[in-house]
Amino acid sequence: MPKRKKSTVEAVLDITAEAGILKSVRRSGWWMLGMKNAESVADHCFRAAFLAYLLAKMERIDPYPAVMIGLINDLHESRINDLHKVGHRYIDFRAAEWKASSEQLAGLPPAMRRELSGWVKDLLTQRTKASWVARDADLLECMIQGKEYAEQGHHPRAIDWMNRPAHLLKTKSAKKIYRRMKSWKSDGWWQKLVTLAR
């Protein structure tokens, strides 16, 4: 019996449900530090995409591609899970990312599939300024998360994640944010809003 082709609505529902899996996938680098309830991949992608918008504006480029790359950056992890950097040493994770992404997007209408596949390819090849911004946002989000975890007392070595990937940042704006982050307090934004009354 021939395989029934999905409707656009069904394909959109399926990939949306698959993206929802990322709310349950924990970022594995943090459990290497023994953290039990680390952020999910969805948590990370949301803030990375938002940061991609801000960085794109700082770099004076169209934010749409950077935000979209940030949003789909880890979509493949709904199929192959998040793999910490020690694991990357033994597995060709880039090839797995591409294979998982290709299969995920295959059921979408051609125009959607082409656009999303192009952004996945951009991210993996780092061939455009938007992909540099999205990758910098991805790295900065992890660095900010590490600083937050350390300052919140979850694990003192979480601060290592703030400094380890700094040499990979490409854009001037990301480098500027990283330099400021060193003396910045992650809870400063809300500490200034606290008012005490008697």
Side-chain angles (χ1 to χ4, degrees), residues 36-56:
K36 302 280 187 246
N37 294 310
E39 63 172 335
S40 72
V41 173
D43 295 330
H44 165 71
C45 289
F46 163 74
R47 191 159 65 170
F50 182 64
L51 190 49
Y53 169 84
L54 299 171
L55 273 179

Side-chain angles (χ1 to χ4, degrees), residues 8 11 190 195:
T8 297
W190 68 264
T195 50

Side-chain angles (χ1 to χ4, degrees), residues 18 22-23 35 38 40 44 50 55 75-76 85 94 98 116 125-126 149 151-152 170 180 185-187 194-195 198:
E18 189 167 346
L22 297 177
K23 293 192 278 184
M35 294 178 66
S40 72
H44 165 71
F50 182 64
L55 273 179
L75 184 60
H76 58 273
K85 297 306 177 197
R94 287 286 184 218
W98 181 249
L116 291 169
T125 60
Q126 291 288 285
Y149 281 153
E151 288 179 354
Q152 292 163 2
K170 288 186 177 180
R180 178 63 185 95
K185 294 292 182 203
S186 64
D187 64 357
V194 173
T195 50
R198 187 175 173 121

Side-chain angles (χ1 to χ4, degrees), residues 37-105:
N37 294 310
E39 63 172 335
S40 72
V41 173
D43 295 330
H44 165 71
C45 289
F46 163 74
R47 191 159 65 170
F50 182 64
L51 190 49
Y53 169 84
L54 299 171
L55 273 179
K57 287 301 210 176
M58 290 173 74
E59 290 289 313
R60 294 185 170 89
I61 66 165
D62 178 9
Y64 180 65
V67 170
M68 288 305 301
I69 293 169
L71 276 175
I72 65 166
N73 171 38
D74 291 326
L75 184 60
H76 58 273
E77 292 181 3
S78 66
R79 294 191 179 199
I80 60 176
N81 211 338
D82 184 61
L83 182 65
H84 52 73
K85 297 306 177 197
V86 174
H88 279 243
R89 184 181 178 99
Y90 304 101
I91 295 168
D92 186 352
F93 204 66
R94 287 286 184 218
E97 283 179 48
W98 181 249
K99 183 175 182 182
S101 294
S102 298
E103 289 179 7
Q104 282 176 313
L105 303 175

Side-chain angles (χ1 to χ4, degrees), residues 144-156 158-159 162 181-188:
I144 291 167
Q145 188 66 69
K147 184 165 178 96
E148 287 170 337
Y149 281 153
E151 288 179 354
Q152 292 163 2
H154 291 292
H155 197 291
I159 200 72
M162 190 187 88
M181 197 189 310
K182 291 179 185 182
S183 59
W184 168 79
K185 294 292 182 203
S186 64
D187 64 357

